[in-house]
Amino acid sequence: MSLRTLAVIGTGLIGTSVALAARRQGVTVYLSDRDESAARTAEDLGAGRAAPPPEPVDLAVVAVPPSLVAPVLAESQARRLALSYTDVASVKSRTEREILATAPDPTRYVGGHPMAGREWSGPRAARAELFRERTWVLTPTRLTSKRAFDRTLDLIALCGAVPRVMRARAHDEAVALTSHAPHLVASLMAARLRDGSAEAAHLAGQGLRDVTRIARGDSRLWSDILESNAAAVAEILTRLQEDLAGVLAALHDLASPGPAAVPGPAAPGGTGPGGGDVVPVPGRHALVDLLDRGIAGVGGLDGAGGGRRGAPGHPETPAFPVAGGR
């Protein structure tokens, strides 16, 4: 199966990037956005035509914030915009429940989430190559038809991405850890810069810029994402709060007057007073433990493949996981 026509609803960064990638592969693309100027900008960039299609397209991509996916899908299906539908929202569980309850024909829909983005927003930030070799999650429901699933796989292939099938809840728990909580942490750190001295800004290096880069994201979109995945994000932040409490206790311990290390039991050839080893105080041990756990966590990312083709756990053509309809 190959896509000939595509509708993109929402011409922000992701929607316009999808449209540009599809146009590069010869697909006819129709664009719409509640902000008509955004749709016209995407059209000027070569992403497609800012006009309704003359007949139902093969696939419609709903590229709006999570809270709007279900109502936009229902309205699009009511006017028969497409034969099949998908979305690109970064939260799936709540959207899935709403669609199953309100969509005129949920068999024609499969949830999707390309794991790609930039710190900039809007159509002018879009790139046709944004999804190349990046993971694109699919979250089919129990009603999703094989035809809707296959058409969305075709779109993923056109964009050069790597499909991965997940349950909606498992997806939301994973992105809470890998995307949503990190965005909040970046924003918290970036917000501290407002209270910093002018000299501090001049001393900012690449490490700080790496930590705070994603804090530039659209605040309205991110508040919608965080609200839609609040429970899973709160769980991650609770664990971070516990770790942070331990770090604070360690730093207060180290900041207190007293020796930075204490001598251990005397032993021949030891380095401490009287031949004993020098034993770090508990605060230092806690910090080293946290830093070591951080190194191990980053190492796990290095071994995960990053969504590249051929990476373990990233099949290029996943099997259809649910019973299909039309």
Side-chain angles (χ1 to χ4, degrees):
M1 184 184 297
S2 59
L3 291 178
R4 297 173 294 104
T5 55
L6 184 74
V8 175
I9 308 168
T11 50
L13 166 66
I14 300 299
T16 304
S17 294
V18 169
L20 288 170
R23 286 292 302 128
R24 182 174 286 185
Q25 299 299 323
V27 177
T28 300
V29 180
Y30 299 91
L31 308 167
S32 64
D33 196 296
R34 62 182 180 181
D35 180 355
E36 294 182 3
S37 65
R40 288 195 297 269
T41 297
E43 181 180 52
D44 292 342
L45 293 170
R49 295 179 55 197
E55 59 185 11
V57 296
D58 295 327
L59 181 68
V61 179
V62 180
V64 300
S67 66
L68 298 178
V69 172
V72 168
L73 177 67
E75 186 273 333
S76 299
Q77 287 194 340
R79 61 187 175 95
R80 301 184 184 278
L81 174 65
L83 301 177
S84 300
Y85 300 81
T86 188
D87 76 293
V88 292
S90 65
V91 183
K92 311 311 313 175
S93 295
R94 191 170 86 172
T95 296
E96 180 177 292
R97 291 193 300 271
E98 293 173 350
I99 286 171
L100 290 176
T102 63
D105 189 355
T107 67
R108 296 178 182 267
Y109 163 79
V110 57
H113 180 206
M115 303 302 298
R118 304 181 69 195
E119 62 270 34
W120 309 106
S121 59
R124 294 193 182 280
R127 299 290 183 270
E129 64 276 8
L130 184 67
F131 312 106
R132 186 161 300 280
E133 298 189 344
R134 303 302 297 270
T135 299
W136 192 310
V137 176
L138 292 177
T139 58
T141 74
R142 66 184 185 277
L143 300 178
T144 298
S145 71
K146 188 175 186 303
R147 183 160 294 182
F149 186 82
D150 287 345
R151 285 189 173 117
T152 307
L153 279 181
D154 286 347
L155 175 66
I156 293 172
L158 288 176
C159 293
V162 184
R164 183 181 183 94
V165 176
M166 298 180 70
R167 296 297 182 187
R169 181 175 178 180
H171 165 274
D172 289 357
E173 291 173 350
V175 295
L177 174 63
T178 62
S179 175
H180 302 166
H183 192 96
L184 275 178
V185 172
S187 295
L188 286 167
M189 188 63 235
R192 290 298 90 214
L193 298 176
R194 298 181 61 187
D195 300 326
S197 66
E199 290 79 7
H202 291 293
L203 299 179
Q206 192 58 45
L208 178 65
R209 298 179 192 280
D210 288 344
V211 168
T212 59
R213 176 182 60 82
I214 58 175
R216 297 179 184 272
D218 186 311
S219 59
R220 290 172 297 178
L221 171 61
W222 272 99
S223 64
D224 190 294
I225 291 170
L226 293 166
E227 179 181 348
S228 298
N229 203 23
V233 175
E235 178 68 20
I236 300 300
L237 293 183
T238 297
R239 301 292 174 260
L240 284 177
Q241 185 180 40
E242 293 168 356
D243 284 341
L244 185 58
V247 170
L248 282 171
L251 291 173
H252 286 309
D253 182 40
L254 292 170
S256 300
V262 296
T271 58
D277 292 331
V278 175
V279 180
V281 296
R284 182 177 299 168
H285 175 77
L287 290 180
V288 171
D289 176 67
L290 174 66
L291 295 170
D292 283 343
R293 285 192 287 133
I295 292 169
V298 173
L301 291 179
D302 294 339
R308 296 186 296 276
R309 290 185 182 275
H314 294 272
E316 293 197 29
T317 307
F320 182 65
V322 295
R326 61 183 179 276

